[in-house]
């Protein structure tokens, strides 16, 4: 009996605690006019969406439903960034020259709608995003600060690190070890904390992150939006099983996600710390 109890304790310790700290309010479908995916929710009540293959980038106002095409280029919706001051959207535009992939970068000012070219199409990225940010390079995490690069492998070498991002206060790092799970560690790579399986994770604030927990078979796809505290003490599923909810993005008051059918939803939330 003692062995059984110890085994059960080990199982429960391996998974974050389930809780109900997040109140879910009204869920609304966003009219996008055509199938849309991979939403990026902005603090000013707008959302960015793209196509299934990341071609094009569209900005939609959640209040009035009006949309504006920022780019029709290939790759424009992949790894979209918002500047540290939250005034500009930064996106890439891919093209091909003699069979070679070229990448350019542009910015869009949210205040006045002005567009600006940051980098002409070339083989590699030379533009430096402002603030502290992280990218996946050569299977590891590269953290950039004021043009200085630090390469990290918090869970050891010979692993594949994906979906890295820096917390709003610049003190923590969120990332996924492929085939293992998602973690939060200090910005220097120390003290990693496991959050379990949480795919495509993103920051909500300095204490919470959001991602998806999904399973796909030949017969069906199941995917739910999940929020977790960064210390692993609380984990909560937000979406009903009737919806295949994927690739969420969140602020402290709203979560946006897309479905396998190209529908985009936004639901109100209230976080009780």
């Amino acid at each position: 009996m003692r062995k059984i109890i110890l085994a059960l304790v080990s199982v429960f310790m391996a998974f974050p605690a389930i809780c109900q700290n997040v109140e879910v309010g009204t869920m609304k479908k966003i009219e996008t006019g055509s199938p849309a995916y991979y939403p990026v929710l902005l603090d000013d009540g707008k959302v960015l969406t793209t196509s299934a293959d990341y071609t094009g980038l569209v900005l939609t106002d959640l209040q009035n439903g009006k949309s504006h095409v920022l780019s029709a280029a290939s790759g424009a919706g992949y790894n979209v960034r918002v500047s540290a001051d939250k005034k500009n959207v930064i996106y890439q535009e891919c093209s091909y020259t003699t069979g070679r992939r070229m990448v350019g970068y542009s910015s869009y000012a949210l205040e006045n709608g002005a567009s600006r070219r940051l980098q002409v199409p070339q083989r590699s990225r030379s533009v430096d995003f402002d603030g502290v940010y992280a990218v996946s390079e050569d299977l590891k995490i590269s953290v950039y600060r004021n043009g200085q690069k630090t390469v990290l492998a918090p869970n050891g070498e010979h692993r594949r690190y994906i979906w890295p991002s820096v917390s709003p206060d610049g003190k923590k790092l969120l990332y996924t070890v492929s085939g293992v799970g998602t973690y939060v560690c200090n910005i220097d790579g120390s003290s990693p904390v496991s959050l379990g399986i949480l795919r495509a994770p993103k920051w909500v604030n300095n204490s919470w992150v959001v991602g998806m927990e999904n399973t796909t078979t030949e017969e069906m796809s199941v995917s739910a939006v999940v929020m977790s505290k960064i210390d692993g003490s609380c984990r909560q599923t937000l979406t009903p099983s009737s919806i295949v909810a994927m690739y969420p993005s969140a602020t402290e008051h709203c979560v946006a996600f897309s479905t396998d059918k190209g529908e985009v939803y936004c639901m109100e939330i209230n976080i009780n710390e």
Side-chain angles (χ1 to χ4, degrees), residues 5-48:
I5 293 175
L6 289 174
L8 288 173
V9 169
S10 298
V11 169
F12 283 115
M13 288 181 65
F15 295 92
I18 298 173
C19 63
Q20 296 295 322
N21 286 38
V22 182
E23 298 176 13
V24 179
T26 304
M27 185 166 64
K28 178 184 177 182
K29 182 180 178 181
I30 308 303
E31 297 300 330
T32 55
S34 60
Y37 300 85
Y38 314 112
V40 176
L41 194 60
L42 307 179
D43 287 337
D44 64 352
K46 296 182 177 67
V47 63
L48 295 160

Side-chain angles (χ1 to χ4, degrees), residues 45 49 104 166 193:
T49 56
V166 176
V193 174

Side-chain angles (χ1 to χ4, degrees), residues 51-194:
S51 65
D53 64 354
Y54 298 103
T55 296
L57 185 63
V58 178
L59 179 67
T60 300
D61 191 315
L62 297 176
Q63 297 299 318
N64 57 33
K66 293 183 178 179
S67 296
H68 175 66
V69 177
L70 303 191
S71 174
S74 171
Y78 181 74
N79 203 20
V80 178
R81 298 179 180 275
V82 179
S83 60
D85 59 11
K86 299 184 179 181
K87 293 182 178 180
N88 296 280
V89 174
I90 302 168
Y91 56 93
Q92 66 180 21
E93 295 180 302
C94 301
S95 58
Y96 291 86
T97 302
T98 62
R100 306 181 76 181
R101 184 174 181 268
M102 313 290 279
V103 179
Y105 284 88
S106 296
S107 68
Y108 175 86
L110 293 168
E111 291 182 347
N112 56 25
S115 296
R116 183 166 64 94
R117 171 73 78 178
L118 301 178
Q119 173 184 301
V120 298
Q122 57 188 49
R123 287 283 293 166
S124 60
R125 176 176 61 83
S126 62
V127 62
D128 188 31
F129 307 123
D130 60 348
V132 184
Y133 62 94
V135 296
S136 179
E137 294 179 330
D138 298 324
L139 305 183
K140 294 182 177 62
I141 301 170
S142 295
V143 176
Y144 288 85
R145 185 196 301 266
N146 300 323
Q148 299 298 312
K149 173 181 173 180
T150 302
V151 179
L152 301 174
N155 295 68
E157 304 288 336
H158 310 298
R159 294 183 181 271
R160 182 172 179 243
Y161 295 87
I162 57 177
W163 296 319
S165 60
V166 176
S167 60
D169 62 7
K171 296 180 179 180
K172 297 287 185 178
L173 189 64
L174 172 68
Y175 62 93
T176 297
V177 179
S178 183
V180 180
T182 290
Y183 295 81
V184 170
C185 68
N186 295 325
I187 194 64
D188 62 359
S190 64
S191 304
V193 174
S194 173

Side-chain angles (χ1 to χ4, degrees), residues 244-255:
V244 181
M246 308 165 67
Y247 298 100
S249 173
T251 65
E252 290 187 315
H253 304 291
C254 186
V255 176

